[in-house]
Amino acid sequence: MSQKVPRNVVIVYADDLGFGDLSCYGSHQISTPYIDRLCENGLKFTNAYSTCAVCTPSRYSILTGCYPFRNKEAHILPGDASCIIGPKTDTIAKAFKRVGYHTGAIGKWHLGLSDGSSPIDWNKEINYTPLDCGFDESFIFPATADRVPCVYLEGRSVVNLDPDDPIEVSYAKECPFEDISTCHKNPELLKMHSSKGHDMSIINGIGRIGYMRGGEKAVWKDEELGETFLNRACKFVNDCHENDQPFFLYYALHQPHVPRVPAPRFLGATKLGVRGDVIVEMDWCVGEFMKELERLGILDETMIIFSSDNGPVLDDGYRDRAYELTGTHRPSGPLRGGKYSKFDGGTRIPFIVSCPGIVHKGVSQALVSQVDLFTSFASALGYEFAEDAAADSQDVYEALIGEDPVGRKELMVEDVGCGKMLRRGNWAYLSPSEGSPFMADVSIETGVSKDPQLYNMEYDIGQQQNIAYAYPKVVCEMEARIQEIMKSERTRT
Ligand code: NG6
Ligand code: CA
């Protein structure tokens, strides 16, 4: 085992946070002092990518070390989906567990629950959860804050379940429950209105995707989500510390995904409306979590990796004025596009690694993908895994700790429609695909085009000049490489 392996590892994973949303990544309108401190004491990556411009596929990759195209179910999932990480699939959590770390998943899950043998009965123990994906403990919500069921799940069971008020969930088009509030029947109950979708069940005055009945005591309070997950994360590290257990924690924040409902004291924290406010709240959560590690005297022996699952979006289906109030703040920073896009705004995300004594301080331009964390830690920990595991995960550990300034030679990402982008050195090649160049409902340029696109990321970070016509050989080679990757069993070398 390498001398440079930290005693504890925490992945803090934000939801829909953009490359330009943190002050340490250049935002002047949103102040994120705690994450900035993490950044000052660690390494800030400027060429780090998630594997997809939406949530489920990126999360699938960070945990399994595989590109999303390898699993045909790795797309945005409904709240009643079965788990897309099968029992035979190795995960980063299983790897940590095998070498003696205590492992935990806290926060947003969105990878499905149950083994799929029958529809989920939310009133019973669920037979397949994060506990079956390598986590010793879990405290999660099943999918997203805008999807039912709006409940916490601890281990295999819904928290605060009342047997006299059973939970039923349906993703049918028509509402199967006559006696629940829905957006169509009870619009007067809405305190936040939808701009698209989110028009089925009303829970806490907010329209959601899907229908839910019952479980009144189990339903979360939206303004308490941040603190609830934070408290569980603090409890997890306290318990591990007390038991003298090294730990791996996957702390998946729910901010700044819609619906954006900060704790009241964060309302108005920025001039950007609730989207800015929940980013400040998220920063506070990270700060409190770090303070807890510091109080326990284990901050210096804990490696923290902070990142986001995909790029940013302003209006993602609720009329919360994020778009109107954004002013000069650019959530994607200098990048083009955002969540859902094939342009870099979709997948190039903040990525900070910090661990005093192990990780160098500064800025790294190394090319890294979130899919690499699995192999990087497995090899640093000296753990051998099966040939067919972590198919696309490269060992970039030296880059993660700041000893290799280059990282990967190339990486591939997907947009929401499974269109591909290959980044190789300074080249970004966007493979042609069908669809609209603009998603009007979210006001985002998709990067989708029937023509090949090639950008030089050294001179053109905003992907303004398509120079594909000038480099036909590069275009051919990069397209052929994408086809080769798609046919391959693995890209891990
Ligand atoms: C979209 C939702 C969006 C968000 C996204 C998933 C509508 C109109 N839009 O379908 O609000 O939930 O799915 O986001 O329903 S993700 O970050 O979890 O991938
Ligand atoms: Ca997301």
Side-chain angles (χ1 to χ4, degrees), residues 161-222:
L161 195 64
D162 174 358
D164 296 331
D165 184 21
I167 296 173
E168 290 170 83
V169 168
S170 167
Y171 276 78
K173 270 205 179 117
E174 298 293 324
C175 178
F177 313 126
E178 271 174 23
D179 53 347
I180 63 163
S181 318
T182 66
C183 298
H184 292 295
K185 245 177 19 196
N186 314 90
E188 73 287 353
L189 296 178
L190 288 170
K191 60 178 192 204
M192 189 191 278
H193 290 267
S194 145
S195 58
K196 187 162 188 233
H198 304 111
D199 56 358
M200 298 161 113
S201 263
I202 300 179
I203 314 265
N204 300 338
I206 301 172
R208 316 274 170 166
I209 307 172
Y211 296 104
M212 173 179 175
R213 172 206 238 167
E216 202 182 316
K217 289 190 189 135
V219 166
W220 69 53
K221 292 194 174 62
D222 293 85

Side-chain angles (χ1 to χ4, degrees), residues 400-422:
L400 294 181
I401 63 175
E403 288 188 358
D404 164 23
V406 179
R408 276 177 168 257
K409 274 205 204 82
E410 64 171 27
L411 56 76
M412 190 174 82
V413 308
E414 297 185 20
D415 64 22
V416 64
C418 304
K420 308 288 187 288
M421 186 283 282
L422 187 71

Side-chain angles (χ1 to χ4, degrees), residues 80 113-122 169:
D80 62 350
L113 294 162
S114 90
D115 67 2
S117 56
S118 55
I120 302 174
D121 182 344
W122 298 94
V169 168

Side-chain angles (χ1 to χ4, degrees), residues 291-305:
K291 278 184 203 159
E292 192 62 11
L293 294 173
E294 200 165 24
R295 193 183 69 77
L296 296 171
I298 56 174
L299 183 60
D300 285 359
E301 57 193 52
T302 302
M303 185 181 285
I304 301 177
I305 297 154

